[in-house]
Amino acid sequence: MTDSLYTSVDDLLRANREADQLRFTTAGSVDDGKSTLIGRLLNDCKAIYDDQLAALNRDSKRLNREEVDLALLTDGLKAEREQGITIDVAYRYFSTPRRRFIIADTPGHEQYTRNMATGASTAHLAIILIDARHGVLTQSRRHGFIASLLGIRHLVVCVNKMDLVGYEQAVFERIRADYSAFSARLQVPDLVYIPISALRGDNVVNRSGNMPWYDGPALLPHLEHVEIGGDRNLVDFRFPVQMVNRPNQDFRGYCGQVASGVVSTGDEVVVRASGKRTRVRSIVTFDGERPLAFAGQAVTLGLEDELDISRGDMLSSPHNLPHHGREAEAMVVWMSDIPMRPGQPILFKHTTCLVRGTVSTLRYRVDPDTLHRRTASELALNEIGRVSLECFQPISWDAYAANRVTGALVMIDPHTHATLGAGMLIDRRVQPEERLLAQTRHIRRETSLVAAADRARITGVSRPCTVWLTGLSGSGKSTIAKLLEQRLIGEHRLAFLLDGDNIRHGLNRDLGFTEADRTENIRRIAETAALFNDAGLQVIAAFISPYASDRAMARELIGADRLLEVFIDTPLAVCEARDVKGLYRRARAGEIPAFTGVTAPYEAPKNPDLRIDTTRLTAEEAVEAILALLRSRER
Amino acid sequence: MDDYKQSNLEQLEAESIHIIREVVAEMERPVMLYSIGKDSSVMVHLARKAFHPAPIPFPLLHVDTGLKFPEMIAFRDSFCRTIGANLIVFNSGEGEQTAANPWDWGTVKCCGALKTQGLLTALREGRYDAAFGGARRDEEKSRAKERIFSFRDKHGQWDPKNQRPELWNLYNPRLDPGESIRVFPLSNWTELDVWHYIHLESIPVVPMYFAARRDVVVRDHLLIPVIDRARLPPGQVVETLECRFRTLGCWPCTGAIRSSARTVREIIQEMMTVRHSERITRIIDHDQDSSMEQKKREGYF
């Protein structure tokens, strides 16, 4: 045991007055050494008392554990200790002179996604433990995804048990590369990798002499210094009214915790629901009136005018309003044994409101291990999906990505009162496909007076379709596509090439390379191809289109009967050796984030209409093969 | 942006106030369990802060086993009078439980009768649908798993394996008639946080927390206070030692520790070196491995 962390009581008093709070969550598979790590952090920070340690030794012996089992510290329930499993989120506390830490320790078992989400909901940071001997597992990816989904902005990947792999840098680097390839698709701005041995104490509290090649901080110093002040939203003033405080005729105040932003006396505020404006007259606390209140503070606001305001109303700045309405989109983590089905009645707890409503649509389910989207008719326990919600009374909300308080909601069963799930609201503006879908419900297509055969006489294309070329960057898609277009035009068949780079310069110039943007990119292209096909043109589309789910979407939009999927199958090594645009070199240097094949995945088509092996066929031969396929369809 | 920083204690305080207000806004008949200890003092202080300038909008309930230290009762009455709280005392050692005592019944049965049953009866008679308790998650390992809004069935029982998931600060307040919730606004506070807060806010606590010369018998690491000399086993030697209480409960089941800490500041200083958890001064918790969990399942706080 180390000496006291503080030199005098004055030190301690000052430290505790000034110390801030970091909440983090830990997760890992059963034997990743999570309990050992927590035990070590607690022990080295003197958060385990002698009698607790003695009880631990006693329990370990009684339960026939070979060594002192630190998991018994956090496994508080009888069933957990007896079965050697963690059932529920356990909260543990320790502190250093700089910070107070709250650990939400969540079980690593696959079926307990809901506990991970629960622990992550209040955490600033997540620690993901990876066993150096086993590398990145499904579980490690899943936890990263859930942390990202719940808005955690700081991820620490601890590659544990480095002592068992000889403290080899290569092992650490390989795991880092593996996990980075996956994490490029997550929305986590701060990702740190630390090689540790929780058992031996390497890089946990102090830098280890066993890994001189590692030049980053040890885990505890990192936890002490990681900057979380910027995570809070201090821009958008939001104040969900919790209750009206009216002890007598002279005082009427609105109690609540500032969800985000800052407010001062004299500031103009708007009641979002009614649009009525007033000014803040006073900010009342037990310790006297204050000139201002900011995110996180629980205060009581006195207002200049007597407006109709009650619990569930939201006060905000007039320059910057939250959304207000009955409909919203959300990612949902389902936590009930009974699956979620669209249409079922649900009570939503959102800020301080409790409103009735329903899930109107289940758009898709996300596979947390691959991040693939799957169509689904229901969401089972521990499944994650994208839904549209309908509240029967309007709520004032923000996107979860911008505001973890006003963007979160909990779903409650109105009959059993069980907590069913958790939702993270999504800003519609970045998801235009919903708007389009919503519109198509009300718009009837006009039928044309021109028959397809009449168009075919002009365009020379008897059965217009889209040849969709997919493959890695540098696989030869564009070369083949251009030749194909040339051949078709030469045969007096009106063909048009939609090419990735060209589309991104115009139609899709507002889109980046995040997963959502890539999907939207493909959606617009598919819609365009479908229109061109309607117009009687032969379309050639050449896009990397790395995700199977996106290609499936394209097939749906264009129509399965007029889409020909051609897989330009060129091995990564060949593409990289060619590197026509120098992109691979830049991606390897870390200059391009989420580059397909390097730091982002390419999901090869399983059953393409045609597979072209460019190591065996020339571009001309490839064009011939595609033309043969087109001819066979026209017969 | 550093101007808008909240310290650990400020965050804990704001979180607790939010919780207390949620209960008052959502529940029909809340009550605050008041056990006279330091955690209760802090919880009541937070309740005053939550509703200022209005008074605390619910009663305080003390389940009196009849075995509390006289100093605790004196403090309770003066503290509640000073802050103008509405105090309800439920005497659980009356009626059919008059015979309950730890010497004849053993601590498990005595606790079940006087504390658990007493509490359940008091809550039922008051038709309370929400009861605040000052328990903290760092106190005991089964408490570490308990929700802030902790659901109880019609019999006041806790089912640890079937708890409602609790995310963000969005608490599920929904109940059927007869069901209730226990609410723990101090869930995320540690013993040290509580003492620091008492220090910073000058919150009054029972004088028994401070060192004084007291009559005790020494048993293992515990100093058992001598309140009723008739209850002393033969051969026990009464000593007068400088000591203080780290936790307060019924006098037959509460031990003191050797200490010279006479102020809150000195208590905090003492905590820098103390090597035992506070629960060790309670005789009831370590009857058996999962004794706290078992009692909580039956309805204990």
Side-chain angles (χ1 to χ4, degrees):
Chain A
M1 197 132 319
T2 53
D3 288 320
S4 174
L5 297 161
Y6 307 90
T7 50
S8 73
V9 65
D10 291 312
D11 271 2
L12 178 64
L13 288 171
R14 191 174 47 250
N16 217 54
R17 213 167 36 239
E18 292 166 4
D20 66 353
Q21 193 185 79
L22 181 90
R23 298 190 185 212
F24 66 92
T25 172
T26 50
S29 296
V30 184
D31 298 316
D32 288 341
K34 181 164 59 88
S35 301
T36 314
L37 178 66
I38 293 176
R40 179 161 287 280
L41 285 171
L42 295 177
N43 196 50
D44 289 2
C45 293
K46 301 171 80 68
I48 307 177
Y49 290 118
D50 290 351
D51 54 305
Q52 292 171 329
L53 217 51
L56 194 62
N57 286 320
R58 211 166 47 233
D59 289 352
S60 300
K61 281 208 190 77
R62 198 171 56 76
L63 296 165
N64 297 316
R65 304 290 154 78
E66 284 172 15
E67 297 172 40
V68 174
D69 187 353
L70 288 161
L72 296 172
L73 271 179
T74 46
D75 291 344
L77 302 176
K78 201 170 172 218
E80 294 178 318
R81 289 201 296 283
E82 286 170 359
Q83 297 168 38
I85 54 162
T86 308
I87 292 170
D88 212 304
V89 188
Y91 295 89
R92 298 290 314 191
Y93 304 82
F94 71 98
S95 59
T96 67
R98 198 171 251 281
R99 267 196 174 145
R100 255 288 310 279
F101 297 94
I102 302 179
I103 312 176
D105 182 29
T106 63
H109 299 279
E110 202 167 321
Q111 63 268 43
Y112 289 119
T113 295
R114 75 173 196 182
N115 289 330
M116 290 188 194
T118 301
S121 72
T122 51
H124 303 102
L125 178 147
I127 294 181
I128 294 174
L129 272 165
I130 296 179
D131 187 325
R133 297 169 303 169
H134 304 142
V136 178
L137 302 178
T138 298
Q139 194 64 242
S140 348
R141 285 192 288 267
R142 175 176 292 213
H143 189 66
F145 171 59
I146 293 168
S148 154
L149 189 67
L150 271 290
I152 290 184
R153 303 170 75 151
H154 309 276
L155 218 55
V156 180
V157 177
C158 286
V159 180
N160 191 22
K161 306 195 183 179
M162 286 299 293
D163 53 319
L164 299 183
V165 295
Y167 299 109
E168 275 293 327
Q169 181 176 9
V171 175
F172 173 71
E173 294 297 344
R174 193 169 59 241
I175 291 171
R176 167 150 68 178
D178 270 6
Y179 202 78
S180 299
F182 166 77
S183 64
R185 292 160 68 188
L186 303 176
Q187 313 285 323
V188 178
D190 175 26
L191 181 58
V192 171
Y193 294 84
I194 305 180
I196 65 167
S197 165
L199 191 68
R200 310 255 167 247
D202 295 296
N203 287 337
V204 176
V205 173
N206 298 308
R207 284 276 300 278
S208 165
N210 291 321
M211 290 173 274
W213 45 265
Y214 172 71
D215 58 4
L219 176 62
L220 184 63
H222 178 69
L223 294 177
E224 279 189 290
H225 289 94
V226 63
E227 179 55 51
I228 51 168
D231 297 359
R232 292 183 312 151
N233 180 336
L234 289 167
V235 178
D236 312 317
F237 173 65
R238 303 282 186 265
F239 187 82
V241 173
Q242 228 182 337
M243 53 182 291
V244 182
N245 190 352
R246 194 146 196 262
N248 54 54
Q249 295 299 313
D250 305 326
F251 185 84
R252 182 201 289 265
Y254 301 94
C255 299
Q257 191 169 14
V258 182
S260 59
V262 182
V263 71
S264 303
T265 49
D267 281 0
E268 194 176 26
V269 292
V270 178
V271 185
R272 185 62 180 92
S274 64
K276 295 247 165 57
R277 295 183 179 209
T278 181
R279 285 182 188 280
V280 174
R281 187 172 61 192
S282 57
I283 299 172
V284 178
T285 76
F286 183 84
D287 305 299
E289 294 203 5
R290 290 185 189 167
L292 61 82
F294 56 85
Q297 291 187 319
V299 295
T300 300
L301 300 182
L303 301 176
E304 294 280 354
D305 304 288
E306 286 209 0
L307 300 179
D308 178 15
I309 300 173
S310 53
R311 176 172 168 83
D313 276 325
M314 192 182 292
L315 304 180
S316 62
S317 149
H319 310 295
N320 169 350
L321 296 175
H323 301 283
H324 186 75
R326 289 184 166 82
E327 290 174 359
E329 294 287 315
M331 294 300 296
V332 163
V333 181
W334 194 248
M335 301 179 167
S336 166
D337 294 329
I338 304 160
M340 183 205 86
R341 290 200 181 85
Q344 77 179 85
I346 285 175
L347 265 177
F348 295 106
K349 172 116 192 205
H350 171 258
T351 65
T352 54
C353 336
L354 204 52
V355 298
R356 289 182 183 278
T358 186
V359 169
S360 36
T361 320
L362 170 58
R363 297 200 180 285
Y364 54 81
R365 182 171 70 75
V366 181
D367 181 330
D369 306 327
T370 60
L371 306 188
H372 290 180
R373 297 167 180 193
R374 313 271 184 218
T375 52
S377 56
E378 58 177 42
L379 272 191
L381 174 67
N382 289 318
E383 289 189 338
I384 294 162
R386 167 76 185 271
V387 304
S388 316
L389 306 173
E390 190 187 346
C391 303
F392 299 158
Q393 279 155 28
I395 57 170
S396 304
W397 60 276
D398 293 283
Y400 187 73
N403 199 317
R404 273 178 105 179
V405 180
T406 58
L409 56 81
V410 161
M411 302 156 87
I412 298 170
D413 188 315
H415 307 299
T416 67
H417 305 148
T419 299
L420 300 173
M424 282 69 62
L425 296 166
I426 299 169
D427 203 326
R428 268 167 195 271
R429 277 172 304 186
V430 297
Q431 301 293 340
E433 77 257 40
E434 267 72 56
R435 224 176 15 246
L436 291 172
L437 283 171
Q439 283 168 7
T440 50
R441 262 184 260 136
H442 309 292
I443 296 170
R444 226 186 38 218
R445 284 176 189 270
E446 289 294 338
T447 19
S448 174
L449 298 173
V450 180
D454 300 331
R455 289 184 207 279
R457 265 195 296 281
I458 298 171
T459 62
V461 183
S462 61
R463 284 193 60 191
C465 66
T466 299
V467 176
W468 190 283
L469 306 180
T470 172
L472 292 167
S473 176
S475 59
K477 294 183 301 297
S478 293
T479 312
I480 294 167
K482 280 190 267 188
L483 283 175
L484 177 62
E485 184 184 33
Q486 195 181 32
R487 279 289 298 275
L488 288 165
I489 295 290
E491 292 175 16
H492 295 277
R493 295 203 265 172
L494 193 49
F496 189 76
L497 168 61
L498 296 172
D499 183 82
D501 289 343
N502 296 343
I503 294 279
R504 280 194 175 274
H505 281 132
L507 180 63
N508 290 354
R509 69 173 170 212
D510 56 325
L511 300 176
F513 290 88
T514 62
E515 201 195 348
D517 281 2
R518 280 175 186 267
T519 300
E520 171 63 3
N521 181 45
I522 298 299
R523 189 194 66 78
R524 290 185 198 172
I525 290 160
E527 290 281 12
T528 307
L531 284 172
F532 282 13
N533 281 162
D534 287 347
L537 275 66
Q538 175 63 49
V539 176
I540 305 153
F543 301 93
I544 299 173
S545 42
Y547 300 120
S549 55
D550 290 348
R551 294 192 301 265
M553 174 181 69
R555 183 178 292 276
E556 200 179 306
L557 290 171
I558 295 168
D561 56 334
R562 32 180 224 186
L563 185 105
L564 293 178
E565 190 177 67
V566 179
F567 177 25
I568 309 299
D569 190 2
T570 309
L572 177 64
V574 176
C575 297
E576 197 162 359
R578 289 180 195 159
D579 206 6
V580 190
K581 300 172 192 163
L583 294 174
Y584 283 97
R585 189 181 43 75
R586 289 180 54 207
R588 291 287 177 201
E591 290 170 33
I592 307 176
F595 190 76
T596 302
V598 179
T599 45
Y602 177 78
E603 298 163 355
K606 291 212 170 59
N607 294 303
D609 295 290
L610 183 64
R611 190 181 77 88
I612 289 174
D613 180 351
T614 64
T615 59
R616 292 178 48 228
L617 296 182
T618 65
E620 286 75 14
E621 288 166 339
V623 169
E624 285 304 331
I626 297 170
L627 285 170
L629 179 67
L630 283 173
R631 275 193 292 272
S632 73
R633 280 169 46 88
E634 280 165 9
R635 267 182 229 123
Chain B
M1 293 295 183
D2 263 14
D3 300 344
Y4 303 132
K5 232 175 97 171
Q6 267 183 311
S7 73
N8 170 51
L9 281 176
E10 286 165 342
Q11 283 183 58
L12 290 173
E13 181 192 72
E15 179 183 67
S16 301
I17 289 174
H18 174 83
I19 293 163
I20 294 169
R21 287 171 172 171
E22 277 299 284
V23 172
V24 168
E26 290 285 353
M27 308 311 291
E28 299 272 322
R29 285 178 69 82
V31 68
M32 184 169 274
L33 270 293
Y34 177 65
S35 73
I36 318 177
K38 62 183 189 308
D39 302 310
S40 282
S41 281
V42 166
M43 184 167 62
V44 171
H45 187 73
L46 290 164
R48 295 178 72 197
K49 285 200 167 192
F51 304 105
H52 174 85
I56 299 176
F58 43 75
L60 308 187
L61 172 66
H62 179 225
V63 177
D64 191 348
T65 58
L67 293 170
K68 299 293 172 189
F69 293 92
E71 284 164 282
M72 290 171 71
I73 302 300
F75 176 85
R76 174 192 77 188
D77 293 341
S78 84
F79 178 71
C80 290
R81 203 167 39 241
T82 310
I83 63 165
N86 172 17
L87 173 72
I88 297 171
V89 177
F90 180 86
N91 292 303
S92 65
E94 293 176 354
E96 41 190 284
Q97 308 293 1
T98 35
N101 68 71
W103 305 283
D104 303 328
W105 290 38
T107 57
V108 174
K109 275 178 75 183
C110 179
C111 233
L114 293 181
K115 294 174 91 172
T116 308
Q117 284 313 312
L119 176 64
L120 291 174
T121 308
L123 293 178
R124 193 172 55 245
E125 286 183 1
R127 288 177 291 111
Y128 299 114
D129 57 355
F132 293 101
R136 310 185 318 265
R137 285 175 176 155
D138 80 324
E139 275 180 76
E140 202 278 333
K141 55 191 177 234
S142 66
R143 292 210 195 275
K145 303 254 162 169
E146 188 156 17
R147 303 291 183 259
I148 289 172
F149 272 46
S150 187
F151 177 80
R152 294 293 189 278
D153 67 10
K154 287 188 168 61
H155 309 290
Q157 298 179 111
W158 183 53
D159 182 359
K161 284 167 83 174
N162 194 20
Q163 299 191 80
R164 293 172 174 177
E166 199 163 73
L167 293 97
W168 300 290
N169 62 353
L170 298 174
Y171 307 106
N172 179 349
R174 302 286 290 183
L175 299 174
D176 273 333
E179 297 170 343
S180 63
I181 47 165
R182 306 280 172 87
V183 183
F184 301 103
L186 304 186
S187 286
N188 286 320
W189 295 59
T190 64
E191 187 186 10
L192 191 58
D193 293 327
V194 165
W195 279 116
H196 271 289
Y197 193 68
I198 288 169
H199 175 74
L200 286 175
E201 300 276 315
S202 307
I203 299 169
V205 292
V206 184
M208 291 168 66
Y209 284 113
F210 304 111
R213 295 183 66 76
R214 295 184 170 92
D215 289 348
V216 293
V217 295
V218 180
R219 190 195 299 163
D220 299 330
H221 53 275
L222 285 183
L223 310 179
I224 310 296
V226 178
I227 301 295
D228 183 352
R229 281 176 189 272
R231 287 290 181 185
L232 274 182
Q236 285 275 24
V237 184
V238 177
E239 298 178 60
T240 306
L241 295 175
E242 184 161 47
C243 59
R244 70 177 198 89
F245 293 86
R246 214 168 144 196
T247 69
L248 296 176
C250 297
W251 62 260
C253 289
T254 304
I257 54 167
R258 288 172 201 269
S259 168
S260 58
R262 289 172 178 271
T263 62
V264 175
R265 198 187 137 91
E266 284 168 9
I267 288 174
I268 293 171
Q269 188 161 23
E270 182 184 274
M271 288 193 62
M272 290 169 64
T273 53
V274 73
R275 290 310 315 148
H276 287 96
S277 76
E278 57 185 333
R279 302 305 300 187
I280 202 164
T281 60
R282 295 294 190 89
I283 292 161
I284 51 172
D285 289 350
H286 26 91
D287 286 336
Q288 59 195 71
D289 180 33
S290 300
S291 56
M292 177 64 92
E293 181 183 338
Q294 191 52 41
K295 281 193 310 204
K296 287 171 68 63
R297 281 169 177 273
E298 289 161 6
Y300 182 65
F301 248 87

